[in-house]
């Protein structure tokens, strides 16, 4: 493995409990650089939960729901301007990242420079 890091974008809308579990799995992964949560105008405590429980996470709180694609675009634009990792992973807030999963993805991407997008 190259030691490359991966930044993460998570788009959320009223998923506080799911988002908490997702962030707990993502933020403990040693390959993860910056994590950006784009909150699409939630009415629950998602924004407050992220800012309190995960202060290292960038939380971009929108006042409107941009939808999944629009929210990812917000997060991707932020990372392209401020991130430095060679890879970016877009996750749903109901994702639990298992140990070693991102390392396997990075190793695969490192081995196949012709791959520009993975799902």
């Amino acid at each position: 493995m190259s030691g490359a890091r991966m930044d993460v974008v998570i788009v959320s809308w009223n998923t506080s409990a799911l988002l908490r579990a997702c962030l707990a799995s993502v933020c403990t992964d040693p390959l993860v650089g910056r994590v950006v949560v784009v909150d699409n105008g939630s009415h629950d405590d998602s924004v407050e939960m992220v800012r309190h429980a995960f202060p290292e996470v960038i939380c971009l709180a929108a006042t409107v729901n941009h939808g999944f694609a629009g929210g990812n675009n917000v997060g991707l634009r932020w990372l392209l301007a401020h991130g430095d990792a060679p890879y970016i992973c877009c996750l749903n807030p109901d994702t639990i990242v298992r140990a070693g999963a991102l390392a396997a993805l990075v190793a695969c991407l490192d081995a196949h420079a012709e791959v520009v997008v993975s799902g």
Side-chain angles (χ1 to χ4, degrees):
M1 183 173 62
S2 70
R5 292 184 339 159
M6 178 173 284
D7 290 338
V8 175
V9 174
I10 303 167
V11 176
S12 177
W13 184 69
N14 293 322
T15 61
S16 181
L18 292 171
L19 181 59
R20 178 185 292 273
C22 178
L23 288 171
S25 73
V26 168
C27 291
T28 58
D29 192 301
L31 285 181
V32 172
R34 294 182 186 225
V35 178
V36 175
V37 169
V38 178
D39 183 82
N40 267 336
S42 292
H43 302 291
D44 66 1
D45 72 332
S46 293
V47 172
E48 294 80 14
M49 181 278 297
V50 171
R51 290 181 176 161
H52 176 73
F54 300 93
E56 71 278 16
V57 171
I58 306 302
C59 185
L60 305 176
T63 57
V64 297
N65 189 330
H66 296 286
F68 181 73
N72 273 304
N73 285 336
V74 169
L76 290 168
R77 276 193 293 273
W78 193 94
L79 282 172
L80 291 174
H82 304 286
D84 60 358
Y87 303 117
I88 300 173
C89 180
C90 296
L91 293 176
N92 289 330
D94 62 347
T95 303
I96 301 297
V97 176
R98 297 185 187 271
L102 294 180
L105 178 57
V106 166
C108 182
L109 292 170
D110 281 348
H112 298 281
E114 72 278 10
V115 175
V116 295
V117 176
S118 173

